[in-house]
Amino acid sequence: MSSIFDIDKQFTFYGAYHTNRINVAIHICCVPLILWSGLVMGTQVPSSFLPAFHLNLNQYLAFDLNLSSIVAALFLLYYYALEPLAAFIYTPFMTVVLLTALKFSHRPDHMAVAGAVHAFAWIAQFVGHGFAEKRAPALLDNILGAVVLAPFFVHLEVLYKLGYKPELHKRISNEIGKEVTRIRKADGARKRQAAAKNT
């Protein structure tokens, strides 16, 4: 259970599926779109157990107490448990993503638009994994971890480019390299076993 809050273990798992620069670039662009569109669509999930609360901030931002706002808050709490400073830096971005999504959810065409954005972003990521990474995405092994970690992973990737905690980056990168080597050896062993059975 404690490994859930271990940034080294969690990002070694996720990073092992994202070592190709093109695939990482696709994720940096698409993961925020998936998060935003997912929050838009999440507003349609019944949340009658929550008190009704709506705050219209301006023509682009609004707050509603619903499942999407609860999920965004839980994501942030988890990120604070993993890496507090990076989570603090991420908080304004998550806030804007949430508030714009909640405002957009009041449009009559919000589900159609969010659904199209969501589908496009997922397809782009699968293309990145298939043609650049040449490996199945992390969600096929751990869907919850992959979905929850993805926004924070791409956030940290951007921070690393800006010089954020180079010792943390180096440590996790080394662990990712070891994990990728282990996975490739295991894949090679499985292929050799399969080939032996077919001969």
Side-chain angles (χ1 to χ4, degrees), residues 88-157:
F88 179 76
I89 297 170
Y90 184 68
T91 298
F93 180 78
M94 174 65 96
T95 302
V96 171
V97 169
L98 174 65
L99 296 181
T100 55
L102 294 178
K103 180 66 175 183
F104 193 85
S105 70
H106 291 277
R107 284 180 40 158
D109 62 344
H110 70 280
M111 285 298 286
V113 175
V117 170
H118 207 71
F120 165 80
W122 273 114
I123 291 170
Q125 291 198 143
F126 276 106
V127 169
H129 276 283
F131 291 96
E133 196 76 42
K134 300 187 185 303
R135 188 179 177 203
L139 64 88
L140 297 184
D141 287 340
N142 184 345
I143 186 169
L144 180 62
V147 171
V148 174
L149 285 172
F152 203 44
F153 177 83
V154 299
H155 169 64
L156 277 172
E157 284 294 317

Side-chain angles (χ1 to χ4, degrees), residues 45-60:
V45 178
S47 54
S48 56
F49 58 93
L50 295 171
F53 182 82
H54 173 74
L55 178 63
N56 188 54
L57 299 170
N58 56 41
Q59 61 179 331
Y60 303 109

Side-chain angles (χ1 to χ4, degrees), residues 30-95:
C30 291
V31 167
L33 294 177
I34 290 173
L35 176 63
W36 179 84
S37 57
L39 291 173
V40 172
M41 294 187 290
T43 62
Q44 296 305 297
V45 178
S47 54
S48 56
F49 58 93
L50 295 171
F53 182 82
H54 173 74
L55 178 63
N56 188 54
L57 299 170
N58 56 41
Q59 61 179 331
Y60 303 109
L61 307 172
F63 179 80
D64 296 289
L65 184 58
N66 54 30
L67 183 65
S68 289
S69 55
I70 296 297
V71 167
L74 290 175
F75 273 38
L76 266 182
L77 285 174
Y78 181 48
Y79 300 158
Y80 271 98
L82 285 172
E83 176 62 22
L85 179 57
F88 179 76
I89 297 170
Y90 184 68
T91 298
F93 180 78
M94 174 65 96
T95 302

